Amino acid sequence: MAVQTRLVSIFFIQLVLLAISGLNRASGAGLQTGFYDESCPEAETIALKTIRKAISKDGSIAAALLRLHFHDCFVRGCEASVLLDAAEEGDAEKDASSNFSLRGYDVIDDVKSAIEKSCPGVVSCADILALAARDAVRLTGGSSWKVETGRRDGRISLSKEADENLPSSNFNIAQLKQNFALKGLTKKDLVVLSGAHTIGVTSCFVINDRLYNFTGRSDTDPALDPTFASELKKKCKPGGGGPVLELDQGSSTISDAHFYKAVRQNRGLLTSDAALLNDPVTLAYVKRQSTSPVKATFGRDFGKSMVKMGGIGVLTGNEGEIRKRCAFVN
């Protein structure tokens, strides 16, 4: 009987340890600022220098780098699965329909190559994505934050998981809240991280239904400012043809809080942007950021939510690997 009791106790302890391990992975435990201070002290400097060079050549790449980190973290966690090429053609995350417009892979490869020359086999591709997102924001006039590092790279990337996990630009507020909650993110994180749309562009195709067929009856989304809708229809043809559009009209190359002013005026391009007005918590934040000079407040909030998002499902310690090339497992 004593032996049986001891075995039950050991089994219970093992279950507790497994549960704690799962919680740690969900909360980003194991990450820390300055993780590479001794093993690769120049890592962040090299990353910043490389990204600054890329943005100087193409300012639009900043938004692309920020988006890469988001799309990585929402699928399998922040472990660089979005960077992997498919083992079988068309089967990786980057091949998913929700990821067709992703770009910036070459910049991440450039950062990885430069760091490998200084510290081979030390810095993960997942950490490079997190650093690139932070640097993209600060190099476009936004605030900076301390990036927690120590992530390791995953070995699996499946297109179906991207389509299943990534939030859609057509999501309503209920769908957005559910999607973010499944990742351990709050309603405040949702509205703050939506502020990433302060930089970047989208296509006429993405907003075609809002302009021409919102309910399937050849109508326009009533949540869209009528004057703004008319302006957009002059640019965007039925069916989605037309130029690229600034997500934050008139301020798409600067990381600031102007996005929220546009949303409050019903001039947010995406359905998911307009949806922020349909919940008391997200609406209150939109109003606060759009009515006072609070760039510093938004910047601080954005950094906190980015650190929180950057801890989703991370691999640390002996989990995963440090890829030699970001597009391939070792």
Side-chain angles (χ1 to χ4, degrees):
M1 180 67 71
V3 173
Q4 185 177 14
T5 302
R6 192 180 305 116
L7 289 173
V8 170
S9 298
I10 292 172
F11 179 68
F12 177 75
I13 291 171
Q14 289 174 330
L15 287 177
V16 171
L17 290 174
L18 284 171
I20 292 173
S21 175
L23 288 172
N24 285 343
R25 284 196 60 197
S27 63
L31 302 182
Q32 64 185 69
T33 57
F35 181 83
Y36 298 111
D37 282 353
E38 294 184 6
S39 60
C40 191
E42 298 300 314
E44 294 197 24
T45 302
I46 293 171
L48 176 61
K49 180 180 178 180
T50 308
I51 293 163
R52 178 183 284 116
K53 182 178 179 180
I55 291 176
S56 70
K57 293 180 179 179
D58 176 9
S60 69
I61 205 65
L65 294 173
L66 181 56
R67 190 169 178 234
L68 268 179
H69 186 42
F70 275 90
H71 281 233
D72 180 47
C73 290
F74 269 71
V75 185
R76 287 189 165 267
C78 310
E79 37 73 88
S81 55
V82 73
L83 302 177
L84 283 172
D85 283 349
E88 298 182 13
E89 186 175 352
D91 195 39
E93 286 176 34
K94 61 174 62 173
D95 302 314
S97 59
S98 50
N99 281 335
F100 276 167
S101 60
L102 286 183
R103 61 194 188 95
Y105 300 109
D106 56 333
V107 179
I108 300 300
D109 287 341
D110 288 344
V111 176
K112 176 65 171 175
S113 178
I115 291 177
E116 283 291 303
K117 291 178 182 178
S118 179
C119 316
V122 173
V123 180
S124 69
C125 299
D127 278 341
I128 290 173
L129 281 172
L131 293 171
R134 187 269 310 276
D135 292 343
V137 171
R138 67 172 172 173
L139 289 171
T140 50
S143 299
S144 185
W145 60 90
K146 292 183 178 180
V147 174
E148 295 181 342
T149 45
R151 298 168 188 79
R152 288 171 66 85
D153 301 322
R155 299 186 178 97
I156 300 172
S157 183
L158 300 172
S159 60
K160 66 177 183 179
E161 292 186 351
D163 288 330
E164 291 168 355
N165 284 276
L166 288 168
S168 168
S169 61
N170 292 321
F171 271 8
N172 60 35
I173 191 62
Q175 292 169 313
L176 288 169
K177 289 189 293 186
Q178 181 183 35
N179 181 268
F180 274 64
L182 288 171
K183 308 302 178 185
L185 300 173
T186 66
K187 288 192 282 187
K188 182 176 181 180
D189 294 320
L190 163 61
V191 67
V192 170
L193 293 173
S194 294
H197 292 165
T198 181
I199 56 175
V201 296
T202 189
S203 68
C204 287
F205 177 79
V206 172
I207 65 166
N208 184 73
D209 283 349
R210 287 197 81 191
L211 295 177
Y212 295 108
N213 198 32
F214 185 64
T215 65
R217 300 176 181 177
S218 301
D219 55 343
T220 302
D221 183 357
L224 197 59
D225 174 73
T227 301
F228 187 46
S230 296
E231 293 172 1
L232 291 173
K233 286 180 179 179
K234 292 177 182 178
K235 300 176 182 178
C236 298
K237 307 303 179 185
V244 294
L245 303 167
E246 296 177 308
L247 282 170
D248 185 6
Q249 300 282 303
S251 184
S252 67
T253 60
I254 303 171
S255 293
D256 57 19
H258 182 267
F259 163 79
Y260 296 103
K261 183 177 181 179
V263 170
R264 193 179 183 194
Q265 294 173 339
N266 296 314
R267 296 171 74 90
L269 277 185
L270 307 180
T271 300
S272 57
D273 293 338
L276 299 175
L277 300 176
N278 297 327
D279 176 88
V281 172
T282 55
L283 172 61
Y285 191 85
V286 169
K287 287 182 176 179
R288 187 161 64 252
Q289 295 296 332
S290 64
T291 57
S292 59
V294 286
K295 176 182 176 182
T297 302
F298 167 63
R300 183 180 66 245
D301 291 343
F302 192 73
K304 288 181 178 178
S305 289
M306 285 292 288
V307 170
K308 187 175 179 181
M309 185 195 76
I312 297 173
V314 294
L315 304 176
T316 59
N318 293 320
E319 299 175 304
E321 64 184 15
I322 305 296
R323 289 187 217 141
K324 296 177 182 178
R325 292 187 295 168
C326 291
F328 307 96
V329 296
N330 291 341

